[in-house]
């Protein structure tokens, strides 16, 4: 009998990103930047529908210390890691 298949270890594996993956991340990042700009007031004289910010009435206490990820910083770290690994 062959030994049972095991899942590959995450150690030593390098994530690969496809062009489609990077395009999706870029799209979401740019769209989010637009929303943040509109929520912050945006340029003077801009009209049209504006995003509505949702605020939870009774926040979950387990999420009290939640810090969202900064995608720009994360991508910068990934880029530098790839450069370092190629050297």
């Amino acid at each position: 009998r062959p030994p049972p298949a095991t899942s590959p270890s995450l150690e030593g594996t390098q994530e690969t990103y496809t062009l489609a993956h990077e395009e999706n991340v870029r799209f979401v990042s740019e769209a989010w930047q637009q929303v943040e700009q509109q929520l912050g007031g945006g340029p003077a004289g801009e009209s049209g529908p504006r995003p509505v910010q949702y605020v939870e009435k009774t926040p979950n206490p387990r999420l009290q210390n939640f810090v969202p990820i900064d995608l720009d910083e994360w991508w910068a770290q990934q880029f530098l890691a790839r450069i370092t690994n190629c050297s």
Side-chain angles (χ1 to χ4, degrees):
R1 265 179 123 173
T6 59
S7 61
S9 172
L10 293 178
E11 293 179 18
T13 61
Q14 183 177 5
E15 291 185 52
T16 56
Y17 302 102
T18 64
L19 182 59
H21 174 83
E22 291 186 22
E23 287 176 7
N24 287 340
V25 171
R26 190 175 304 112
F27 170 78
V28 170
S29 178
E30 289 171 1
W32 183 247
Q33 288 174 4
Q34 288 176 355
V35 169
E36 285 185 322
Q37 183 181 31
Q38 290 172 351
L39 283 173
E46 194 173 300
S47 62
R50 299 180 57 97
V52 175
Q53 187 172 8
Y54 175 78
V55 178
E56 186 73 42
K57 292 178 182 164
T58 54
N60 185 332
R62 292 186 303 178
L63 298 176
Q64 181 178 11
N65 296 322
F66 174 77
V67 177
I69 187 171
D70 180 344
L71 282 178
D72 290 330
E73 178 64 25
W74 186 84
W75 274 109
Q77 289 173 0
Q78 297 299 309
F79 179 73
L80 290 175
R82 276 188 251 152
I83 290 173
T84 303
N85 289 337
C86 291
S87 301

